[in-house]
Each structure stands twice: as structure tokens, then as C-alpha cells.
Amino acid sequence: MTEPQIVWLRRDLRLADQHAFACAAQHGPVIPVYVLDDETPGARRMGGASRWYLHQALESLERDLARHHSQLVLLRGDCVEQLCRLARETGATTIHALRHYEPWWRDAEERLASKVDLCLHDGNYLLPPGTVTTGAGTPYKIFTPFKNALFASVDDFDILPEPALASPDIWPASDALQDWGLLPTNPDWAGGMRDFWQAGSSAALDRFDDFIEVIGDYREDREKPSLDGSSKMSPHLHFGEVSARQLWHKIARHRSDGARFFKAELVWRDYAQNLLLPFPGYGEEPYRAGYDDAFWRDPESDPAAQVDLVAWQQGRTGYPIVDAGMRQLWRTGWMHNRVRMIAASFLVKHLLIDWRHGEHWFWDTLVDADYASNGTNWQWVSGTGVDSNMFVRIMAPLSQSEKFDAGEYIREYVPELAGLPDGEIHDPSDMFRPDDYPDRIIGHREGRERALEAYRAMKG
Ligand code: FAD
């Protein structure tokens, strides 16, 4: 019998199109391991909603592995220490893993490679981050040329099937998933998420097959929060239950505008990761100078800013579209993309609160919370990122709500407003505003003027 091979899993919880599994399976019996790591230096602790989702995703992977008469070994602690110990105990010669680009994972990969034979593989993104570059070999900073370059070099992908997995003679000891405390208990706030999500590779692919039926309308429908017009693949992609290449491959021959726009959205995910290579702190630090503490209202030192931040988090700003989005987030762990933009813009511009407070809240409450995608999008909305300065483009939540026909969406997530007629739902007048629905915490014009004034002062 050849020596066992360890497959170290992180956000790549699938068997098909998983190059670490495929390679390990060719070299010997496979020991799949997931390390719950709250200890690696500099690592961001996963937020509450992500931990809930992770529990479901690991359960599903355990079932998939059982079909191959295999198991998932669960360990807890510093990943480098745990993996080195496991390699010693099992006599495994090589640890296989997919590459990840969060700065703490790159450090951990480097530490691990100095101690064991670590074999890193690509495959969580359409193309390996760092490989789509300008003619001069430098990274693209702006999305559209990045997307055009990627589209020019990709037609379709070959997808790896699930490999046959041989088991080791003896399975190493494993934690029990239930003992990790990933699920909320007191209170159990996950009811809405249980209704909304089914984790796992097969559930993701089934959901995507349903989405393909309507992909022709994606270009228009994805903008309308009242419709079920987008794929809802984001947690499945984030945790790697499916690969972006698998999704691309399934629609490679679709010629509709919808399919083309969908592929472009997948490219956004690659683009965000590509920004982490030259700018590892991009997920949490503003790229542009000037947006420092003096620019923002600080909830920690300014009680009025703290009240505003809490109203935003709880969906009680008095702006129906913002409140519907924030309550959807709390209930389901997900928010429609258009509404994420509106709610983020509202926090940063109308309330003049540093985007990092919003980024942290999203990190804790999104099931798809992703260091690169979250940071990139917050910086994009805030105008603090690599794109041209967008701070002066201030979204008007009321007209956005009307333009994207958010009436039914508001009725679903803000039940106090459910009885309002169409003409009132986006911006209820005093006569229609129910007593239990809050007044606006700031007027649109007032918020806009304050933001522009702060910007002018910063620019001197
Ligand atoms: P679809 O429209 O079906 O798109 C398909 C896939 O493309 C998505 O699942 C996602 O993986 C990718 N994608 C689409 N839009 C983007 C985008 N703008 N940036 C990066 N990838 C994209 N997405 C995350 O995955 N994690 C986050 O933490 C996250 N934070 C965000 C924060 C803000 C302030 C904003 C404005 C957007 C954020 N997004 C994030 C991007 C986007 O909102 C979600 O990916 C999308 O809503 C997921 O729904 P879907 O799967 O139905 O998307």
C-alpha cells in the first residue's frame, strides 16, 4: 500500500473539479481534512452566518465522501500545527490543497510548505489570480479591461469528474461536527436561513439547473429585487461547493445576453481575488488616501453616529428599500446585489459612516461573506478603491427603489408596509406611513449635502 495523501480543505468543499482531490487520488489513499482555524495569526474569524453555513456544507461533504466509502477528518486549532501533526501520525507524504489568496492563507501556506511537502493546485477561480495581466505584464486595476482580457482567453473549461478515493488502513481521530458549536442555539436566529439555503454540491448544481431555465432574462431580471432573477450561487461558490468553471462550462454554449452577463459576474469574483495579490489588505483597508478617521462620523465616539449605525443594521432607517435589504440580510444571510449597493451607499454617503463598519456587519451576517468580494464591492461603492473616485456619485434610494420595481420585495421584508398601495410603497407620505414604521433618520438632500461637504473639505 502506498503512503496516504492528505487533502487540506478550506473554501473548496467539493469532489468534482477539485484538483487537490484529483491529484491526491492518483498517488495513494486519501485523507480529507478540514481544520477549523480560529488561531492562525492575522486570520479573520468567520462570521456567525458563515459558521452556520459551514456546518451545513461540511455535513453535506461528509455525505458525499461516504458515497466513496471515505470520511472527513475534522480538526481544530492552528492549521499548520494540526496538519503537521496529522502528517506525522498517518505517515502521509504530501498535503494537497487548492491555493487561496486571503493574506493569512498565503502566510499559512508558506509556513506549511517550509515543514512538509505541500502541493498547491489552482482551480477555485476561472483563471489563476495573477495570470490575467496587461500587455506589460502588470495587474489590471479596472474591471472592464480585466473582463475583456479574460473573455478573450477563455472559451470553455474541461471539468474534472469526481475521483475514485481509496481509504487509508486506519482513519485518524476526528472531532465531531456537532461539538464545534457552529450553529446558534440561544437564541436560534437561523430559521430564515434554513428556509432559504440548502448547502452542498448537488443542491447547488440543482439550483443552477433551475436558474439556467431563466438565464435568458438574467440581464434585466437580476436588477429587480422583487424577482428571483439571479442564481444565488454566491455561498456555494464561496465555500467551493461548485467551481466557477463548472458553472461557466454548463452555459458555455448559451449565446443569450443573459448568459454573457452571467459570465461577466463570475469574472467579478476573479477580479476581486486578483486585487488581493498586489494589495493584500484590500479587503479591509481603503486604497485611496484621505478617507481616514477625520473624514467619517465615528460611531465609537459620536453617539448620534452610533444610533444611525444601529438603525441601518436593524433595517429601521425609514427608507423602505434600505430597510427591506437589511432585514433580508438578517433573515436569510443574503441580500440582492442591487440592494447591497443601495444599502452600502446609504451607510457611507447618507450617514457618512466609514465603509469598514458596513463591511464588518456584512462579514458577520452574509452566508457568502468573502474577504476579497466584500472588500472590493464596499470600496467600489465608497469610492475608496482602485477605480476612479466614485464618492461623489450618491445613489438616491427612493428613485432606485421605483426604478427597479422593488414594491413586492419591500412588502415581503418590511411587513409594516405590506398594505401600502403601489404609489406609496417606495416613499410613504406622512398620511400613509404606519405608526410602527420609523421616520427617515436623515433627509435625502440633507445626507447628500453633508457627504459632498465632507468630500470638499477633504479635498481642501
Ligand atoms: P449572480 O448575479 O447570480 O452572480 C453569479 C455569481 O457571480 C455570484 O454568485 C458571485 O459569486 C459572482 N458575483 C456577482 N456579482 C459580483 C460582484 N459584484 N463581486 C464579486 N462577485 C460577484 N459577493 C460575495 O460573493 N461575497 C461578498 O461578501 C459580497 N459582498 C458584497 C458587498 C457589497 C457592498 C456589494 C455591493 C456586493 C457584494 N457582493 C458579494 C457581490 C454580489 O452582491 C453577490 O455576489 C451577489 O449578490 C450574489 O448573488 P447571486 O449568487 O444570485 O449572484
Side-chain angles (χ1 to χ4, degrees):
M1 189 76 159
T2 48
E3 281 83 16
Q5 310 283 308
I6 290 174
V7 172
W8 174 29
L9 297 158
R10 285 172 286 179
R11 298 193 294 95
D12 33 41
L13 307 177
R14 64 180 178 276
L15 289 171
D17 203 40
Q18 220 283 21
H19 291 67
F21 265 122
C23 184
Q26 284 173 3
H27 288 89
V30 174
I31 303 176
V33 56
Y34 184 90
V35 186
L36 181 64
D37 185 350
D38 291 325
E39 292 173 24
T40 277
R44 263 206 171 188
R45 193 175 192 276
M46 219 181 268
S50 295
R51 290 170 100 80
W52 172 83
Y53 193 93
L54 174 68
H55 183 105
Q56 326 296 321
L58 292 175
E59 256 181 1
S60 171
L61 183 64
E62 281 178 334
R63 285 194 294 273
D64 290 346
L65 285 166
R67 280 194 287 109
H68 290 260
H69 309 288
S70 181
Q71 300 181 17
L72 180 60
V73 175
L74 299 173
L75 301 175
R76 190 170 193 165
D78 178 290
C79 59
V80 175
E81 282 171 25
Q82 293 298 324
L83 289 164
C84 289
R85 188 180 54 75
L86 186 68
R88 271 195 312 276
E89 274 176 25
T90 57
T93 47
T94 305
I95 298 179
H96 300 262
L98 292 196
R99 272 193 190 85
H100 290 276
Y101 297 87
E102 289 87 344
W104 60 91
W105 285 138
R106 290 174 66 197
D107 289 350
E109 287 165 7
E110 212 171 287
R111 278 195 296 138
L112 188 59
S114 69
K115 294 172 196 280
V116 295
D117 179 26
L118 176 64
C119 187
L120 290 171
H121 305 264
D122 296 313
N124 239 13
Y125 297 96
L126 294 170
L127 293 178
T131 57
V132 179
T133 55
T134 64
T138 53
Y140 283 105
K141 285 191 183 167
I142 307 300
F143 174 71
T144 304
F146 175 85
K147 180 196 71 181
N148 293 342
L150 192 148
F151 266 70
S153 59
V154 167
D155 177 34
D156 196 358
F157 296 100
D158 291 330
I159 301 302
L160 295 175
E162 291 190 6
L165 299 176
S167 291
D169 291 339
I170 302 173
W171 280 101
S174 166
D175 288 0
L177 183 57
Q178 278 66 21
D179 295 341
W180 276 3
L182 298 174
L183 303 178
T185 45
N186 194 13
D188 172 9
W189 40 256
M193 301 204 297
R194 280 193 290 275
D195 294 343
F196 208 76
W197 297 108
Q198 208 185 337
S201 303
S202 341
L205 291 171
D206 287 350
R207 189 167 210 164
F208 194 66
D209 284 342
D210 290 344
F211 170 70
I212 290 178
E213 303 284 313
V214 296
I215 200 169
D217 300 325
Y218 174 74
R219 183 176 178 180
E220 292 79 29
D221 288 359
R222 79 200 167 107
E223 293 285 17
K224 301 199 177 136
S226 299
L227 301 178
D228 190 11
S230 71
S231 70
K232 311 229 170 39
M233 284 294 113
S234 50
H236 302 298
L237 284 164
H238 171 75
F239 284 97
E241 298 176 320
V242 287
S243 72
R245 291 169 167 224
Q246 280 176 293
L247 303 186
W248 183 293
H249 176 67
K250 274 178 165 283
I251 56 166
R253 300 286 156 245
H254 284 236
R255 292 289 163 224
S256 65
D257 258 8
R260 198 163 43 82
F261 269 71
F262 182 79
K263 288 177 185 166
E265 294 305 305
L266 290 179
V267 177
W268 265 103
R269 182 172 169 273
D270 269 44
Y271 167 71
Q273 291 296 325
N274 272 265
L275 287 173
L276 286 188
L277 281 180
F279 316 115
Y282 201 71
E284 53 199 331
E285 292 300 329
Y287 171 83
R288 276 172 193 272
Y291 294 93
D292 51 19
D293 294 348
F295 183 78
W296 307 106
R297 296 166 66 227
D298 178 9
E300 267 135 47
S301 58
D302 172 355
Q306 173 64 17
V307 169
D308 287 352
L309 175 61
V310 171
W312 178 81
Q313 290 169 338
Q314 295 182 342
R316 298 193 57 77
T317 65
Y319 284 81
I321 182 74
V322 175
D323 295 342
M326 298 308 292
R327 295 188 201 185
Q328 180 184 36
L329 174 61
W330 184 253
R331 198 196 298 174
T332 68
W334 184 86
M335 197 198 299
H336 186 275
N337 179 57
R338 168 62 48 185
V339 190
R340 288 189 205 203
M341 289 195 264
I342 297 169
S345 168
F346 187 82
L347 179 77
V348 171
K349 294 167 188 173
H350 284 75
L351 301 183
L352 203 58
I353 290 178
D354 190 335
W355 62 270
R356 285 172 290 185
H357 288 282
E359 192 274 333
H360 277 121
W361 184 253
F362 273 28
W363 180 262
D364 200 26
T365 51
L366 278 172
V367 290
D368 62 31
D370 183 277
Y371 182 74
S373 292
N374 204 24
T376 298
N377 281 283
W378 274 98
Q379 298 236 39
W380 184 82
V381 171
S382 308
T384 61
V386 291
D387 319 72
S388 58
N389 192 336
M390 305 248 303
F391 189 86
V392 287
R393 280 173 52 188
I394 297 179
M395 277 188 174
L398 304 172
S399 51
Q400 287 272 312
S401 179
E402 243 174 48
K403 180 173 173 194
F404 295 108
D405 213 359
E408 285 311 310
Y409 177 74
I410 294 170
R411 289 190 178 96
E412 181 171 0
Y413 289 103
V414 188
E416 308 93 284
L417 302 181
L420 262 56
D422 287 348
E424 292 287 331
I425 190 87
H426 307 284
D427 182 15
S429 56
D430 289 347
M431 211 175 86
F432 279 90
R433 189 171 282 257
D435 290 343
D436 55 353
Y437 186 66
D439 289 336
R440 285 184 205 162
I441 56 175
I442 189 162
H444 171 54
R445 186 167 303 175
E446 192 189 334
R448 190 185 145 76
E449 283 310 314
R450 180 173 63 184
L452 292 175
E453 181 52 39
Y455 181 73
R456 280 192 290 269
M458 187 251 284
K459 289 283 164 196

